Amino acid sequence: MNQAYRPERIERAREILVEALKDSLGVHWVLRNKSEAGKVLALEVLFFEGADKEGVFLSDDGQGAVVFYDINDQRWSWSNARRKALLVLRHAGVASVWRLLKYRRMIAATRPKDAMVGFLVGTDRFAKGTKAIFDIHEGMQKLAKSRNLPICLETTQPRVRRLYQYAGYTEYAVRRHPFVDLDIYFFIKHPDDV
């Protein structure tokens, strides 16, 4: 796993993650209308939030990507602030701001205060095999261990929940999504468990 610095590597990661996750209920619940443009923009807001924190990574083969960074990193950009405003005005509605803030407070209250967080993980839908996912998993563990921080992951998908359990993550909380019929599963792996 390598950090995506160059624009073409960041674009490749964005392309992988948008295609892999654009139909995820856990991501686009905030949208007023479920248009393709709204789904993409919602993912791009999350993606570029990670890019602002230098937290975009590609697998060595370029077939997988993850947004993964220190939970306490507060960096942001005006360009992503504009994306957020566009998302609210065109696709989510002003009333959604309150829902988003409430949701983010719930997530922040559940996560530990010091950790590396990974929240967008995906592979190219045309990629064969699982090499990219294993590379991302190993890279996340190495980076977290080098910083002596636990890894925190969340999912709303039962299939992904089983994968995280199989990969040695401990489920430390389950929260009911406040606005859609979903459970959010919270996982952690401590540096000593790597």
Side-chain angles (χ1 to χ4, degrees):
M1 176 176 94
N2 295 299
Q3 192 167 12
Y5 283 114
R6 295 191 317 263
E8 65 272 11
R9 305 265 300 158
I10 290 172
E11 176 55 24
R12 174 66 179 144
R14 187 204 64 78
E15 174 186 284
I16 289 169
L17 293 172
V18 165
E19 190 58 37
L21 301 171
K22 70 181 172 187
D23 292 319
S24 170
L25 291 175
V27 175
H28 64 72
W29 59 268
V30 74
L31 299 174
R32 180 177 52 221
N33 58 21
K34 309 296 188 237
S35 71
E36 190 77 7
K39 292 177 185 180
V40 169
L41 187 57
L43 281 165
E44 286 180 340
V45 164
L46 295 172
F47 175 82
F48 285 107
E49 187 173 311
D52 290 342
K53 297 167 178 26
E54 297 179 1
V56 174
F57 296 86
L58 275 173
S59 61
D60 291 340
D61 65 2
Q63 300 301 308
V66 64
V67 173
F68 184 62
Y69 56 83
D70 187 323
I71 206 166
N72 292 310
D73 192 326
Q74 299 299 314
R75 290 178 284 177
W76 62 281
S77 68
W78 284 109
S79 59
N80 207 37
R82 283 190 297 277
R83 272 185 209 92
K84 288 177 184 180
L86 185 63
L87 178 65
V88 168
L89 295 174
R90 284 199 184 159
H91 303 285
V94 177
S96 69
V97 173
W98 175 83
R99 291 172 26 149
L100 277 167
L101 291 173
K102 182 176 179 181
Y103 175 79
R104 286 230 170 176
R105 276 194 301 272
M106 185 265 298
I107 296 292
T110 306
R111 285 178 178 161
K113 301 302 176 215
D114 292 307
M116 298 291 292
V117 63
F119 62 92
L120 297 178
V121 183
T123 57
D124 187 312
R125 61 187 178 107
F126 298 112
K128 301 223 186 296
T130 57
K131 185 178 184 308
I133 286 297
F134 285 115
D135 180 45
I136 287 169
H137 177 67
E138 274 187 25
M140 288 169 58
Q141 290 184 118
K142 285 179 185 173
L143 183 57
K145 191 168 184 112
S146 73
R147 296 182 183 193
N148 198 33
L149 291 171
I151 299 170
C152 289
L153 303 171
E154 292 110 34
T155 187
T156 57
Q157 300 178 15
R159 183 183 64 81
V160 175
R161 179 188 190 195
R162 289 188 298 277
L163 288 173
Y164 289 165
Q165 290 168 333
Y166 179 75
Y169 288 84
T170 302
E171 186 176 298
Y172 69 91
V174 178
R175 298 284 182 264
R176 192 73 183 155
H177 197 294
F179 303 108
V180 290
D181 186 24
L182 291 173
D183 287 323
I184 306 166
Y185 307 101
F186 292 80
F187 289 88
I188 193 165
K189 186 182 267 192
H190 294 281
D192 297 338
D193 298 335
V194 174

